[in-house]
Amino acid sequence: MTVQVAVDFGTSSTCVVVSIHGRDPQVVVIDGQPLMSSAVYAAADGTLFVGQEAERQAAMDPSRYEPNPKRRIDEGELLLGDSVLRVTDVVHAVLARAVSEARRLAGNAEVDLLVLTHPADWGAVRTRLLRQAAGGLAREVTLVPEPVAAAVFHAATFAPAQLNQERTVELSNRPGESLAVLDLGGGTVDVSVVSRAGGGRRGFQVLATLGDPSFGGADVDQALLEHVGGLVSSADPAAWRELVEGRELADRRRRRVLRQDVRGAKETLSRHAYTDVPMPPPFADAHVTREDLEKLIAAPLSRAVELTRAAIEEAGLRPAQLSAIFLVGGSSRIPMISRLVHERTGVVPTTLDQPETVVARGALLAVRGERERPAPPGPPARTPAPPRIGEQQTKIVRGPAAPRPAFPAGPPNRPPAGYGSTAGPAAGAGQRR
Ligand SMILES: Nc1ncnc2c1ncn2[C@@H]1O[C@H](COP(=O)(O)OP(=O)(O)OP(=O)(O)O)[C@@H](O)[C@H]1O
Ligand SMILES: [Mg+2]
């Protein structure tokens, strides 16, 4: 039996896809969901809980909980409660859970190939760490940049020259054809322009990448939470401060539930014009509207769209020259983002069902396409080896990051901005780690 697994290790969620015996990749359902939380919880006895289990355990002692380990990738070690853990071990635990769930569907057979996705701007240091974290999980490990995987998935979904109903996607499958991928996930905005490398149906290379490491779904939650504070805190300002800043276990537990409810309210506002956030006493429940949310996030979403325009320009293209702009990542469900992309680029963007699973689903296809591609002509000794998919980036520019608002209710170990310790107003600018 041949077992190939792809894991998209995201800031807030991890998506796992398996292909058995060369059959079509299928998303692995974990704890009843197509996405596994990327969270970890370090219990006092040394057990590392992962995913929804970690989220449940977080109620016991939130200081032992890290919801976004990917954001801590540069830190070397994490302090969870009184346990000091190596970041590679923490990431390994998340990947190991993901792989074991995929193996369950394959009768626990060994994994022949594990494909891991990573942001296009990750350089040698972070990608090496990711590889190390996957140690022992498969016979072979390979890496694919997230936007390449997303582009491959879309290319496989839209047959050549097939138009969708809004006539927004017209893929020629010809070498040089370019697409933009705007990935709005849990922790970052990543926009990449990719072009078809030629040869096979599936090979893409990244022409330009820009990103904002200081904005993602978690920051939308944050903005909405502060808005809710503005609505209800006047009833008892001291109680509100305790709720959002208090170090006591009871405060942390109440805060955790509130954060979950706020995130749920945000997601509801992508489908409904209003919703309510249940509040702990002494506060009244908060009524929030999509209009409120749009005002709160208009500036960062505009920045994301400006980054998209800038990445297209970096790639030496105009929006009209692209075959499509694809939206991926869970936060791309926010309706305002498609509207802004259309207004500012003139291109109606395309989103597929379950935009948070697109990267993992494309990753296996990308690797297959790469392996199926015919070898370049010419004697091997004089022909440069085709780039490995994980090394295809040709131009990586990190966009300026807006300062992440300091919010005291965040998990105690979370850095204020960016990935890990490179935080700051220009976190990661010009650097590839
Ligand atoms: N209906 C929705 N409306 C708004 N946001 C949503 C919706 N559904 C999911 N999200 C948000 O999408 C985010 C998770 O998206 P995704 O799984 O793509 O991120 P990730 O891959 O973990 O992060 P990253 O790509 O930044 O590393 C969460 O913040 C979640 O609240
Ligand atoms: Mg993602």
Side-chain angles (χ1 to χ4, degrees), residues 10-13 35 70 146 183-188 217-218 263 266-267 270-271 329-331 333-334 356:
T11 304
S12 58
S13 54
L35 297 172
K70 187 176 175 183
E146 289 165 13
D183 185 347
L184 273 168
T188 58
R263 176 174 166 171
K266 170 196 73 174
E267 295 176 3
S270 295
R271 297 180 291 275
S331 303
R333 293 175 191 263
I334 298 174
E356 46 289 86

mmCIF file with all atom_site columns, all heavy atoms in Angstrom, residues 10-13 35 70 146 183-188 217-218 263 266-267 270-271 329-331 333-334 356, ligand 1:
data_model
loop_
_atom_site.group_PDB
_atom_site.id
_atom_site.type_symbol
_atom_site.label_atom_id
_atom_site.label_alt_id
_atom_site.label_comp_id
_atom_site.label_asym_id
_atom_site.label_entity_id
_atom_site.label_seq_id
_atom_site.pdbx_PDB_ins_code
_atom_site.Cartn_x
_atom_site.Cartn_y
_atom_site.Cartn_z
_atom_site.occupancy
_atom_site.B_iso_or_equiv
_atom_site.pdbx_formal_charge
_atom_site.auth_seq_id
_atom_site.auth_comp_id
_atom_site.auth_asym_id
_atom_site.auth_atom_id
_atom_site.pdbx_PDB_model_num
ATOM   1   N N   . GLY A 1 10  ? -1.114  25.130 10.207 1.00 0.00 ? 10  GLY A N   1
ATOM   2   C CA  . GLY A 1 10  ? -1.461  26.548 10.190 1.00 0.00 ? 10  GLY A CA  1
ATOM   3   C C   . GLY A 1 10  ? -1.334  27.182 11.562 1.00 0.00 ? 10  GLY A C   1
ATOM   4   O O   . GLY A 1 10  ? -1.116  26.495 12.568 1.00 0.00 ? 10  GLY A O   1
ATOM   5   N N   . THR A 1 11  ? -1.487  28.496 11.589 1.00 0.00 ? 11  THR A N   1
ATOM   6   C CA  . THR A 1 11  ? -1.372  29.226 12.849 1.00 0.00 ? 11  THR A CA  1
ATOM   7   C C   . THR A 1 11  ? -2.455  28.788 13.826 1.00 0.00 ? 11  THR A C   1
ATOM   8   O O   . THR A 1 11  ? -2.187  28.541 14.999 1.00 0.00 ? 11  THR A O   1
ATOM   9   C CB  . THR A 1 11  ? -1.503  30.743 12.594 1.00 0.00 ? 11  THR A CB  1
ATOM   10  O OG1 . THR A 1 11  ? -0.513  31.110 11.648 1.00 0.00 ? 11  THR A OG1 1
ATOM   11  C CG2 . THR A 1 11  ? -1.306  31.540 13.860 1.00 0.00 ? 11  THR A CG2 1
ATOM   12  N N   . SER A 1 12  ? -3.687  28.677 13.330 1.00 0.00 ? 12  SER A N   1
ATOM   13  C CA  . SER A 1 12  ? -4.744  28.278 14.254 1.00 0.00 ? 12  SER A CA  1
ATOM   14  C C   . SER A 1 12  ? -5.253  26.868 13.987 1.00 0.00 ? 12  SER A C   1
ATOM   15  O O   . SER A 1 12  ? -5.719  26.207 14.901 1.00 0.00 ? 12  SER A O   1
ATOM   16  C CB  . SER A 1 12  ? -5.904  29.271 14.221 1.00 0.00 ? 12  SER A CB  1
ATOM   17  O OG  . SER A 1 12  ? -6.410  29.374 12.916 1.00 0.00 ? 12  SER A OG  1
ATOM   18  N N   . SER A 1 13  ? -5.162  26.410 12.723 1.00 0.00 ? 13  SER A N   1
ATOM   19  C CA  . SER A 1 13  ? -5.645  25.053 12.475 1.00 0.00 ? 13  SER A CA  1
ATOM   20  C C   . SER A 1 13  ? -4.730  24.309 11.515 1.00 0.00 ? 13  SER A C   1
ATOM   21  O O   . SER A 1 13  ? -3.998  24.916 10.732 1.00 0.00 ? 13  SER A O   1
ATOM   22  C CB  . SER A 1 13  ? -7.074  25.107 11.937 1.00 0.00 ? 13  SER A CB  1
ATOM   23  O OG  . SER A 1 13  ? -7.128  25.940 10.817 1.00 0.00 ? 13  SER A OG  1
ATOM   24  N N   . LEU A 1 35  ? -10.773 20.132 10.155 1.00 0.00 ? 35  LEU A N   1
ATOM   25  C CA  . LEU A 1 35  ? -9.570  20.843 10.586 1.00 0.00 ? 35  LEU A CA  1
ATOM   26  C C   . LEU A 1 35  ? -9.274  20.461 12.022 1.00 0.00 ? 35  LEU A C   1
ATOM   27  O O   . LEU A 1 35  ? -10.190 20.317 12.829 1.00 0.00 ? 35  LEU A O   1
ATOM   28  C CB  . LEU A 1 35  ? -9.793  22.360 10.551 1.00 0.00 ? 35  LEU A CB  1
ATOM   29  C CG  . LEU A 1 35  ? -10.076 22.986 9.203  1.00 0.00 ? 35  LEU A CG  1
ATOM   30  C CD1 . LEU A 1 35  ? -10.457 24.449 9.378  1.00 0.00 ? 35  LEU A CD1 1
ATOM   31  C CD2 . LEU A 1 35  ? -8.841  22.883 8.306  1.00 0.00 ? 35  LEU A CD2 1
ATOM   32  N N   . LYS A 1 70  ? 2.701   27.849 15.691 1.00 0.00 ? 70  LYS A N   1
ATOM   33  C CA  . LYS A 1 70  ? 3.423   28.294 14.484 1.00 0.00 ? 70  LYS A CA  1
ATOM   34  C C   . LYS A 1 70  ? 3.963   29.716 14.654 1.00 0.00 ? 70  LYS A C   1
ATOM   35  O O   . LYS A 1 70  ? 4.993   30.070 14.095 1.00 0.00 ? 70  LYS A O   1
ATOM   36  C CB  . LYS A 1 70  ? 2.469   28.222 13.290 1.00 0.00 ? 70  LYS A CB  1
ATOM   37  C CG  . LYS A 1 70  ? 3.095   28.487 11.933 1.00 0.00 ? 70  LYS A CG  1
ATOM   38  C CD  . LYS A 1 70  ? 2.056   28.273 10.832 1.00 0.00 ? 70  LYS A CD  1
ATOM   39  C CE  . LYS A 1 70  ? 2.558   28.638 9.465  1.00 0.00 ? 70  LYS A CE  1
ATOM   40  N NZ  . LYS A 1 70  ? 1.491   28.484 8.442  1.00 0.00 ? 70  LYS A NZ  1
ATOM   41  N N   . GLU A 1 146 ? 2.990   27.216 0.600  1.00 0.00 ? 146 GLU A N   1
ATOM   42  C CA  . GLU A 1 146 ? 1.522   27.206 0.673  1.00 0.00 ? 146 GLU A CA  1
ATOM   43  C C   . GLU A 1 146 ? 0.858   27.757 -0.597 1.00 0.00 ? 146 GLU A C   1
ATOM   44  O O   . GLU A 1 146 ? -0.084  27.143 -1.114 1.00 0.00 ? 146 GLU A O   1
ATOM   45  C CB  . GLU A 1 146 ? 1.051   27.987 1.916  1.00 0.00 ? 146 GLU A CB  1
ATOM   46  C CG  . GLU A 1 146 ? 1.363   27.237 3.208  1.00 0.00 ? 146 GLU A CG  1
ATOM   47  C CD  . GLU A 1 146 ? 1.252   28.086 4.464  1.00 0.00 ? 146 GLU A CD  1
ATOM   48  O OE1 . GLU A 1 146 ? 0.692   29.206 4.396  1.00 0.00 ? 146 GLU A OE1 1
ATOM   49  O OE2 . GLU A 1 146 ? 1.740   27.645 5.522  1.00 0.00 ? 146 GLU A OE2 1
ATOM   50  N N   . ASP A 1 183 ? -3.979  34.585 0.840  1.00 0.00 ? 183 ASP A N   1
ATOM   51  C CA  . ASP A 1 183 ? -4.268  33.645 1.924  1.00 0.00 ? 183 ASP A CA  1
ATOM   52  C C   . ASP A 1 183 ? -4.482  34.431 3.218  1.00 0.00 ? 183 ASP A C   1
ATOM   53  O O   . ASP A 1 183 ? -3.542  35.026 3.756  1.00 0.00 ? 183 ASP A O   1
ATOM   54  C CB  . ASP A 1 183 ? -3.090  32.665 2.070  1.00 0.00 ? 183 ASP A CB  1
ATOM   55  C CG  . ASP A 1 183 ? -3.370  31.572 3.103  1.00 0.00 ? 183 ASP A CG  1
ATOM   56  O OD1 . ASP A 1 183 ? -4.337  31.696 3.878  1.00 0.00 ? 183 ASP A OD1 1
ATOM   57  O OD2 . ASP A 1 183 ? -2.605  30.582 3.125  1.00 0.00 ? 183 ASP A OD2 1
ATOM   58  N N   . LEU A 1 184 ? -5.721  34.446 3.670  1.00 0.00 ? 184 LEU A N   1
ATOM   59  C CA  . LEU A 1 184 ? -6.048  35.130 4.931  1.00 0.00 ? 184 LEU A CA  1
ATOM   60  C C   . LEU A 1 184 ? -6.362  34.046 5.953  1.00 0.00 ? 184 LEU A C   1
ATOM   61  O O   . LEU A 1 184 ? -7.449  33.476 5.938  1.00 0.00 ? 184 LEU A O   1
ATOM   62  C CB  . LEU A 1 184 ? -7.289  35.997 4.732  1.00 0.00 ? 184 LEU A CB  1
ATOM   63  C CG  . LEU A 1 184 ? -7.056  37.399 4.216  1.00 0.00 ? 184 LEU A CG  1
ATOM   64  C CD1 . LEU A 1 184 ? -8.372  38.009 3.789  1.00 0.00 ? 184 LEU A CD1 1
ATOM   65  C CD2 . LEU A 1 184 ? -6.437  38.259 5.292  1.00 0.00 ? 184 LEU A CD2 1
ATOM   66  N N   . GLY A 1 185 ? -5.388  33.755 6.765  1.00 0.00 ? 185 GLY A N   1
ATOM   67  C CA  . GLY A 1 185 ? -5.555  32.645 7.697  1.00 0.00 ? 185 GLY A CA  1
ATOM   68  C C   . GLY A 1 185 ? -5.837  33.135 9.109  1.00 0.00 ? 185 GLY A C   1
ATOM   69  O O   . GLY A 1 185 ? -6.460  34.166 9.315  1.00 0.00 ? 185 GLY A O   1
ATOM   70  N N   . GLY A 1 186 ? -5.350  32.358 10.071 1.00 0.00 ? 186 GLY A N   1
ATOM   71  C CA  . GLY A 1 186 ? -5.584  32.692 11.460 1.00 0.00 ? 186 GLY A CA  1
ATOM   72  C C   . GLY A 1 186 ? -4.583  33.711 11.983 1.00 0.00 ? 186 GLY A C   1
ATOM   73  O O   . GLY A 1 186 ? -4.886  34.488 12.889 1.00 0.00 ? 186 GLY A O   1
ATOM   74  N N   . GLY A 1 187 ? -3.371  33.699 11.428 1.00 0.00 ? 187 GLY A N   1
ATOM   75  C CA  . GLY A 1 187 ? -2.338  34.558 11.994 1.00 0.00 ? 187 GLY A CA  1
ATOM   76  C C   . GLY A 1 187 ? -1.676  35.507 11.035 1.00 0.00 ? 187 GLY A C   1
ATOM   77  O O   . GLY A 1 187 ? -0.998  36.447 11.471 1.00 0.00 ? 187 GLY A O   1
ATOM   78  N N   . THR A 1 188 ? -1.816  35.277 9.756  1.00 0.00 ? 188 THR A N   1
ATOM   79  C CA  . THR A 1 188 ? -1.066  36.106 8.809  1.00 0.00 ? 188 THR A CA  1
ATOM   80  C C   . THR A 1 188 ? -1.871  36.348 7.535  1.00 0.00 ? 188 THR A C   1
ATOM   81  O O   . THR A 1 188 ? -2.812  35.632 7.233  1.00 0.00 ? 188 THR A O   1
ATOM   82  C CB  . THR A 1 188 ? 0.247   35.405 8.374  1.00 0.00 ? 188 THR A CB  1
ATOM   83  O OG1 . THR A 1 188 ? -0.082  34.146 7.792  1.00 0.00 ? 188 THR A OG1 1
ATOM   84  C CG2 . THR A 1 188 ? 1.203   35.202 9.511  1.00 0.00 ? 188 THR A CG2 1
ATOM   85  N N   . GLY A 1 217 ? -6.912  36.085 11.395 1.00 0.00 ? 217 GLY A N   1
ATOM   86  C CA  . GLY A 1 217 ? -8.207  35.906 12.053 1.00 0.00 ? 217 GLY A CA  1
ATOM   87  C C   . GLY A 1 217 ? -8.143  36.187 13.554 1.00 0.00 ? 217 GLY A C   1
ATOM   88  O O   . GLY A 1 217 ? -9.096  36.728 14.133 1.00 0.00 ? 217 GLY A O   1
ATOM   89  N N   . ALA A 1 218 ? -7.026  35.832 14.187 1.00 0.00 ? 218 ALA A N   1
ATOM   90  C CA  . ALA A 1 218 ? -6.910  36.054 15.632 1.00 0.00 ? 218 ALA A CA  1
ATOM   91  C C   . ALA A 1 218 ? -6.982  37.549 15.952 1.00 0.00 ? 218 ALA A C   1
ATOM   92  O O   . ALA A 1 218 ? -7.471  37.945 17.023 1.00 0.00 ? 218 ALA A O   1
ATOM   93  C CB  . ALA A 1 218 ? -5.598  35.472 16.145 1.00 0.00 ? 218 ALA A CB  1
ATOM   94  N N   . ARG A 1 263 ? -14.951 34.604 18.806 1.00 0.00 ? 263 ARG A N   1
ATOM   95  C CA  . ARG A 1 263 ? -14.555 34.024 17.518 1.00 0.00 ? 263 ARG A CA  1
ATOM   96  C C   . ARG A 1 263 ? -15.776 33.459 16.783 1.00 0.00 ? 263 ARG A C   1
ATOM   97  O O   . ARG A 1 263 ? -15.943 33.653 15.584 1.00 0.00 ? 263 ARG A O   1
ATOM   98  C CB  . ARG A 1 263 ? -13.506 32.927 17.744 1.00 0.00 ? 263 ARG A CB  1
ATOM   99  C CG  . ARG A 1 263 ? -13.132 32.220 16.469 1.00 0.00 ? 263 ARG A CG  1
ATOM   100 C CD  . ARG A 1 263 ? -11.986 31.238 16.686 1.00 0.00 ? 263 ARG A CD  1
ATOM   101 N NE  . ARG A 1 263 ? -11.877 30.342 15.550 1.00 0.00 ? 263 ARG A NE  1
ATOM   102 C CZ  . ARG A 1 263 ? -10.888 29.494 15.354 1.00 0.00 ? 263 ARG A CZ  1
ATOM   103 N NH1 . ARG A 1 263 ? -9.894  29.428 16.208 1.00 0.00 ? 263 ARG A NH1 1
ATOM   104 N NH2 . ARG A 1 263 ? -10.875 28.712 14.310 1.00 0.00 ? 263 ARG A NH2 1
ATOM   105 N N   . LYS A 1 266 ? -17.725 36.283 15.326 1.00 0.00 ? 266 LYS A N   1
ATOM   106 C CA  . LYS A 1 266 ? -17.078 36.789 14.102 1.00 0.00 ? 266 LYS A CA  1
ATOM   107 C C   . LYS A 1 266 ? -17.427 35.900 12.910 1.00 0.00 ? 266 LYS A C   1
ATOM   108 O O   . LYS A 1 266 ? -17.770 36.391 11.839 1.00 0.00 ? 266 LYS A O   1
ATOM   109 C CB  . LYS A 1 266 ? -15.550 36.796 14.309 1.00 0.00 ? 266 LYS A CB  1
ATOM   110 C CG  . LYS A 1 266 ? -14.781 37.063 13.052 1.00 0.00 ? 266 LYS A CG  1
ATOM   111 C CD  . LYS A 1 266 ? -13.322 36.684 13.187 1.00 0.00 ? 266 LYS A CD  1
ATOM   112 C CE  . LYS A 1 266 ? -13.114 35.173 13.192 1.00 0.00 ? 266 LYS A CE  1
ATOM   113 N NZ  . LYS A 1 266 ? -11.699 34.789 13.174 1.00 0.00 ? 266 LYS A NZ  1
ATOM   114 N N   . GLU A 1 267 ? -17.347 34.594 13.105 1.00 0.00 ? 267 GLU A N   1
ATOM   115 C CA  . GLU A 1 267 ? -17.617 33.670 11.990 1.00 0.00 ? 267 GLU A CA  1
ATOM   116 C C   . GLU A 1 267 ? -19.089 33.761 11.564 1.00 0.00 ? 267 GLU A C   1
ATOM   117 O O   . GLU A 1 267 ? -19.402 33.722 10.379 1.00 0.00 ? 267 GLU A O   1
ATOM   118 C CB  . GLU A 1 267 ? -17.194 32.244 12.378 1.00 0.00 ? 267 GLU A CB  1
ATOM   119 C CG  . GLU A 1 267 ? -15.678 32.173 12.575 1.00 0.00 ? 267 GLU A CG  1
ATOM   120 C CD  . GLU A 1 267 ? -15.164 30.816 13.049 1.00 0.00 ? 267 GLU A CD  1
ATOM   121 O OE1 . GLU A 1 267 ? -15.974 29.883 13.181 1.00 0.00 ? 267 GLU A OE1 1
ATOM   122 O OE2 . GLU A 1 267 ? -13.947 30.703 13.286 1.00 0.00 ? 267 GLU A OE2 1
ATOM   123 N N   . SER A 1 270 ? -19.997 36.488 9.088  1.00 0.00 ? 270 SER A N   1
ATOM   124 C CA  . SER A 1 270 ? -19.731 36.287 7.652  1.00 0.00 ? 270 SER A CA  1
ATOM   125 C C   . SER A 1 270 ? -20.988 35.791 6.943  1.00 0.00 ? 270 SER A C   1
ATOM   126 O O   . SER A 1 270 ? -21.069 35.837 5.728  1.00 0.00 ? 270 SER A O   1
ATOM   127 C CB  . SER A 1 270 ? -18.612 35.261 7.442  1.00 0.00 ? 270 SER A CB  1
ATOM   128 O OG  . SER A 1 270 ? -17.403 35.760 7.949  1.00 0.00 ? 270 SER A OG  1
ATOM   129 N N   . ARG A 1 271 ? -21.947 35.280 7.726  1.00 0.00 ? 271 ARG A N   1
ATOM   130 C CA  . ARG A 1 271 ? -23.168 34.743 7.117  1.00 0.00 ? 271 ARG A CA  1
ATOM   131 C C   . ARG A 1 271 ? -24.413 35.555 7.466  1.00 0.00 ? 271 ARG A C   1
ATOM   132 O O   . ARG A 1 271 ? -25.392 35.528 6.748  1.00 0.00 ? 271 ARG A O   1
ATOM   133 C CB  . ARG A 1 271 ? -23.387 33.285 7.585  1.00 0.00 ? 271 ARG A CB  1
ATOM   134 C CG  . ARG A 1 271 ? -22.298 32.328 7.150  1.00 0.00 ? 271 ARG A CG  1
ATOM   135 C CD  . ARG A 1 271 ? -22.562 30.912 7.640  1.00 0.00 ? 271 ARG A CD  1
ATOM   136 N NE  . ARG A 1 271 ? -22.427 30.766 9.077  1.00 0.00 ? 271 ARG A NE  1
ATOM   137 C CZ  . ARG A 1 271 ? -21.275 30.534 9.701  1.00 0.00 ? 271 ARG A CZ  1
ATOM   138 N NH1 . ARG A 1 271 ? -20.167 30.400 9.009  1.00 0.00 ? 271 ARG A NH1 1
ATOM   139 N NH2 . ARG A 1 271 ? -21.222 30.431 11.015 1.00 0.00 ? 271 ARG A NH2 1
ATOM   140 N N   . GLY A 1 329 ? -7.811  30.331 2.890  1.00 0.00 ? 329 GLY A N   1
ATOM   141 C CA  . GLY A 1 329 ? -7.721  30.599 4.325  1.00 0.00 ? 329 GLY A CA  1
ATOM   142 C C   . GLY A 1 329 ? -9.098  30.926 4.890  1.00 0.00 ? 329 GLY A C   1
ATOM   143 O O   . GLY A 1 329 ? -9.954  31.504 4.201  1.00 0.00 ? 329 GLY A O   1
ATOM   144 N N   . GLY A 1 330 ? -9.312  30.548 6.134  1.00 0.00 ? 330 GLY A N   1
ATOM   145 C CA  . GLY A 1 330 ? -10.629 30.696 6.766  1.00 0.00 ? 330 GLY A CA  1
ATOM   146 C C   . GLY A 1 330 ? -11.124 32.132 6.805  1.00 0.00 ? 330 GLY A C   1
ATOM   147 O O   . GLY A 1 330 ? -12.321 32.392 6.654  1.00 0.00 ? 330 GLY A O   1
ATOM   148 N N   . SER A 1 331 ? -10.203 33.090 6.999  1.00 0.00 ? 331 SER A N   1
ATOM   149 C CA  . SER A 1 331 ? -10.651 34.483 7.123  1.00 0.00 ? 331 SER A CA  1
ATOM   150 C C   . SER A 1 331 ? -11.101 35.055 5.784  1.00 0.00 ? 331 SER A C   1
ATOM   151 O O   . SER A 1 331 ? -11.696 36.135 5.754  1.00 0.00 ? 331 SER A O   1
ATOM   152 C CB  . SER A 1 331 ? -9.537  35.345 7.726  1.00 0.00 ? 331 SER A CB  1
ATOM   153 O OG  . SER A 1 331 ? -9.152  34.822 8.974  1.00 0.00 ? 331 SER A OG  1
ATOM   154 N N   . ARG A 1 333 ? -13.431 34.017 4.249  1.00 0.00 ? 333 ARG A N   1
ATOM   155 C CA  . ARG A 1 333 ? -14.895 33.922 4.247  1.00 0.00 ? 333 ARG A CA  1
ATOM   156 C C   . ARG A 1 333 ? -15.539 35.259 4.596  1.00 0.00 ? 333 ARG A C   1
ATOM   157 O O   . ARG A 1 333 ? -16.737 35.432 4.422  1.00 0.00 ? 333 ARG A O   1
ATOM   158 C CB  . ARG A 1 333 ? -15.363 32.889 5.274  1.00 0.00 ? 333 ARG A CB  1
ATOM   159 C CG  . ARG A 1 333 ? -14.984 31.458 4.929  1.00 0.00 ? 333 ARG A CG  1
ATOM   160 C CD  . ARG A 1 333 ? -15.391 30.570 6.098  1.00 0.00 ? 333 ARG A CD  1
ATOM   161 N NE  . ARG A 1 333 ? -14.860 29.236 5.993  1.00 0.00 ? 333 ARG A NE  1
ATOM   162 C CZ  . ARG A 1 333 ? -15.532 28.205 5.503  1.00 0.00 ? 333 ARG A CZ  1
ATOM   163 N NH1 . ARG A 1 333 ? -16.739 28.371 5.034  1.00 0.00 ? 333 ARG A NH1 1
ATOM   164 N NH2 . ARG A 1 333 ? -14.973 27.012 5.463  1.00 0.00 ? 333 ARG A NH2 1
ATOM   165 N N   . ILE A 1 334 ? -14.772 36.185 5.154  1.00 0.00 ? 334 ILE A N   1
ATOM   166 C CA  . ILE A 1 334 ? -15.327 37.505 5.482  1.00 0.00 ? 334 ILE A CA  1
ATOM   167 C C   . ILE A 1 334 ? -15.706 38.186 4.159  1.00 0.00 ? 334 ILE A C   1
ATOM   168 O O   . ILE A 1 334 ? -14.833 38.426 3.316  1.00 0.00 ? 334 ILE A O   1
ATOM   169 C CB  . ILE A 1 334 ? -14.292 38.350 6.267  1.00 0.00 ? 334 ILE A CB  1
ATOM   170 C CG1 . ILE A 1 334 ? -13.968 37.661 7.601  1.00 0.00 ? 334 ILE A CG1 1
ATOM   171 C CG2 . ILE A 1 334 ? -14.786 39.776 6.475  1.00 0.00 ? 334 ILE A CG2 1
ATOM   172 C CD1 . ILE A 1 334 ? -12.853 38.325 8.400  1.00 0.00 ? 334 ILE A CD1 1
ATOM   173 N N   . GLU A 1 356 ? -10.095 26.789 3.884  1.00 0.00 ? 356 GLU A N   1
ATOM   174 C CA  . GLU A 1 356 ? -8.966  26.465 4.764  1.00 0.00 ? 356 GLU A CA  1
ATOM   175 C C   . GLU A 1 356 ? -8.370  25.083 4.480  1.00 0.00 ? 356 GLU A C   1
ATOM   176 O O   . GLU A 1 356 ? -7.344  24.725 5.047  1.00 0.00 ? 356 GLU A O   1
ATOM   177 C CB  . GLU A 1 356 ? -9.277  26.661 6.254  1.00 0.00 ? 356 GLU A CB  1
ATOM   178 C CG  . GLU A 1 356 ? -10.556 26.150 6.872  1.00 0.00 ? 356 GLU A CG  1
ATOM   179 C CD  . GLU A 1 356 ? -11.816 26.896 6.487  1.00 0.00 ? 356 GLU A CD  1
ATOM   180 O OE1 . GLU A 1 356 ? -12.371 26.519 5.442  1.00 0.00 ? 356 GLU A OE1 1
ATOM   181 O OE2 . GLU A 1 356 ? -12.265 27.780 7.224  1.00 0.00 ? 356 GLU A OE2 1
HETATM 182 N N1  . LIG B 2 .   ? -16.962 32.084 8.581  1.00 0.00 ? 1   LIG B N1  1
HETATM 183 C C1  . LIG B 2 .   ? -15.834 32.690 8.937  1.00 0.00 ? 1   LIG B C1  1
HETATM 184 N N2  . LIG B 2 .   ? -15.741 34.040 8.954  1.00 0.00 ? 1   LIG B N2  1
HETATM 185 C C2  . LIG B 2 .   ? -14.627 34.661 9.349  1.00 0.00 ? 1   LIG B C2  1
HETATM 186 N N3  . LIG B 2 .   ? -13.512 34.017 9.743  1.00 0.00 ? 1   LIG B N3  1
HETATM 187 C C3  . LIG B 2 .   ? -13.544 32.669 9.736  1.00 0.00 ? 1   LIG B C3  1
HETATM 188 C C4  . LIG B 2 .   ? -14.682 31.936 9.326  1.00 0.00 ? 1   LIG B C4  1
HETATM 189 N N4  . LIG B 2 .   ? -14.393 30.601 9.432  1.00 0.00 ? 1   LIG B N4  1
HETATM 190 C C5  . LIG B 2 .   ? -13.134 30.513 9.896  1.00 0.00 ? 1   LIG B C5  1
HETATM 191 N N5  . LIG B 2 .   ? -12.621 31.750 10.084 1.00 0.00 ? 1   LIG B N5  1
HETATM 192 C C6  . LIG B 2 .   ? -11.325 32.097 10.647 1.00 0.00 ? 1   LIG B C6  1
HETATM 193 O O1  . LIG B 2 .   ? -10.298 31.553 9.857  1.00 0.00 ? 1   LIG B O1  1
HETATM 194 C C7  . LIG B 2 .   ? -9.134  31.429 10.689 1.00 0.00 ? 1   LIG B C7  1
HETATM 195 C C8  . LIG B 2 .   ? -8.490  30.093 10.439 1.00 0.00 ? 1   LIG B C8  1
HETATM 196 O O2  . LIG B 2 .   ? -8.184  29.991 9.073  1.00 0.00 ? 1   LIG B O2  1
HETATM 197 P P1  . LIG B 2 .   ? -7.093  28.963 8.549  1.00 0.00 ? 1   LIG B P1  1
HETATM 198 O O3  . LIG B 2 .   ? -7.402  27.617 9.093  1.00 0.00 ? 1   LIG B O3  1
HETATM 199 O O4  . LIG B 2 .   ? -7.025  29.136 7.089  1.00 0.00 ? 1   LIG B O4  1
HETATM 200 O O5  . LIG B 2 .   ? -5.816  29.589 9.255  1.00 0.00 ? 1   LIG B O5  1
HETATM 201 P P2  . LIG B 2 .   ? -4.400  28.919 9.514  1.00 0.00 ? 1   LIG B P2  1
HETATM 202 O O6  . LIG B 2 .   ? -4.010  28.133 8.317  1.00 0.00 ? 1   LIG B O6  1
HETATM 203 O O7  . LIG B 2 .   ? -4.443  28.237 10.829 1.00 0.00 ? 1   LIG B O7  1
HETATM 204 O O8  . LIG B 2 .   ? -3.479  30.216 9.672  1.00 0.00 ? 1   LIG B O8  1
HETATM 205 P P3  . LIG B 2 .   ? -2.226  30.737 8.814  1.00 0.00 ? 1   LIG B P3  1
HETATM 206 O O9  . LIG B 2 .   ? -2.488  30.359 7.383  1.00 0.00 ? 1   LIG B O9  1
HETATM 207 O O10 . LIG B 2 .   ? -2.274  32.223 9.059  1.00 0.00 ? 1   LIG B O10 1
HETATM 208 O O11 . LIG B 2 .   ? -1.041  30.074 9.414  1.00 0.00 ? 1   LIG B O11 1
HETATM 209 C C9  . LIG B 2 .   ? -9.602  31.566 12.135 1.00 0.00 ? 1   LIG B C9  1
HETATM 210 O O12 . LIG B 2 .   ? -9.235  32.837 12.631 1.00 0.00 ? 1   LIG B O12 1
HETATM 211 C C10 . LIG B 2 .   ? -11.111 31.455 12.002 1.00 0.00 ? 1   LIG B C10 1
HETATM 212 O O13 . LIG B 2 .   ? -11.811 32.148 13.024 1.00 0.00 ? 1   LIG B O13 1
#
